[in-house]
Amino acid sequence: MPAPGMPRDEAARLEALQALAILDTAPEIAYDDLVRIATGICGTPMGTVSLIDADRQWFKARHGVEGQETPRSVSFCGHAILHPDELLIVPDTHTDPRFRDNPMVTGAPHVRFYAGAPVSVDEGQALGTLCVFDTEPKLLSAFQTDALAALARQVGILLRLRRTARELGLQLREQAWYETELRRYQAELESQNATLSELSQTDPLTRLPNRRAFDQALFNALAMRREGDATLAVAVLDIDHFKTINDRHGHAIGDEVLVALAELLRSTAGSRGVFARYGGEEFVYFHPDCSPDSMRRQCDHLRESIQYMQGPVRVTASIGYAVHEPGEDAAALMARADRALYMAKHGGRNRVMTCAR
């Protein structure tokens, strides 16, 4: 098992890391949150913010990982920092001669997939990484790799803010300059956080809102309703026999079907309606101003549009919908729409059904 090499500027890199005075400090929620977002977007059970010291890899933040540090000689991140401007992605460690005999692969935590984005405070000098890893081989989409790189930049901003605050505390006494610097970094953080908030509510494959975003939008819509408001309705859509499509044509074709359907839904959504991917082959829709008859017509039109949709394979969909009743919460409304979908699927599929309260 080859140990990671040394960066050409190793002495300066270690000096910059020591100047931060961050090694062996207590956990901080700002770093923990970035790791949780990274693992959520990339769909992995484990992730860390790793800083590479002279002979160890130390975790400033970790998710799903035991222990606070590992030897540098067995670290994946020690390889990642050798190329500060590139992500290191290892789809399957068992086929990579650098890592297949690594004790973190052959033993706990049994790493099969790794992706690490170098974290820099100064350009061209990586002090560590934001990394995610899994016990199963996998590939990341372009959206996920871009998100991981964005999160790593966020870690770099936090480190620069720490360095600035430390230097100010040690050397500077001019309050006006201090406040200007803090406002500038705060603006950077707020800008990054706005981007991250959008990423955390978007399905990476279809770019539709995800379940979290839909649930929040539906909750807000119901919370704002008053007696006498127009009718709100929810529909749940499921692609018929989607497992068969994956088994027969492969998951890549299945993903193409999901993307094509998402485009159709996006073009179909009205100015006030909300479509989202709820999970797997299931999509959801709600309209805050829709009569029962109009919702039925919309669902029938959508079902027919899917039946004749252009894509790698022809598909059909079953749709269940429910119209909001006074006093009903979001969970009860969604449960009725789910029951209607069940009725549609077990009634022959490629049809629309509703379920009364």
Side-chain angles (χ1 to χ4, degrees), residues 8 19 21 29 40 56 70 86 102 107 116 132 154 167 176 197 199 235 255 272 297-298 320 329 346-347 357:
R8 287 179 297 179
I29 192 169
R56 61 172 176 157
T70 68
E86 301 173 12
N102 189 295
V132 295
Q154 180 84 336
E167 290 174 350
S197 176
L199 291 175
D255 285 350
R272 298 183 65 195
R297 288 192 299 271
Q298 287 186 35
D329 63 15
H346 287 267
R357 191 172 181 181

Side-chain angles (χ1 to χ4, degrees), residues 278-320:
Y278 216 55
E281 69 273 24
E282 189 172 275
F283 294 79
V284 287
Y285 167 66
F286 84 80
H287 198 294
D289 183 11
C290 188
S291 69
D293 288 341
S294 176
M295 189 64 176
R296 175 76 191 204
R297 288 192 299 271
Q298 287 186 35
C299 289
D300 276 327
H301 174 72
L302 179 58
R303 181 193 60 79
E304 292 178 1
S305 298
I306 294 170
Q307 187 173 355
Y308 297 106
M309 178 179 70
Q310 296 298 313
V313 294
R314 287 293 182 90
V315 298
T316 62
S318 301
I319 302 175

Side-chain angles (χ1 to χ4, degrees), residues 44-46 93-94 109-113 133-138:
T44 62
M46 296 174 284
T93 57
H94 287 190
H110 301 285
V111 177
R112 286 292 300 274
F113 165 80
F133 39 105
D134 204 338
T135 57
E136 299 290 338
K138 70 185 303 167

Side-chain angles (χ1 to χ4, degrees), residues 17-32 49-51 53 56-62 67-69 158-159 162-163 166:
L17 177 61
Q18 294 298 326
L20 291 173
I22 193 172
L23 295 173
D24 302 309
T25 58
E28 296 179 51
I29 192 169
Y31 297 90
D32 294 340
V49 170
S50 301
L51 298 173
D53 200 359
R56 61 172 176 157
Q57 169 184 246
W58 180 78
F59 306 134
K60 176 58 182 173
R62 52 198 168 99
Q68 194 68 57
E69 62 182 58
L158 289 174
L159 293 176
R162 179 187 181 89
R163 183 178 67 182
R166 180 172 169 78

Side-chain angles (χ1 to χ4, degrees), residues 28-42 44 47 61-63 130 151:
E28 296 179 51
I29 192 169
Y31 297 90
D32 294 340
D33 284 349
L34 292 175
V35 172
R36 280 194 290 268
I37 293 172
T39 56
I41 290 174
C42 296
T44 62
R62 52 198 168 99
H63 176 73
L130 172 63
L151 289 164

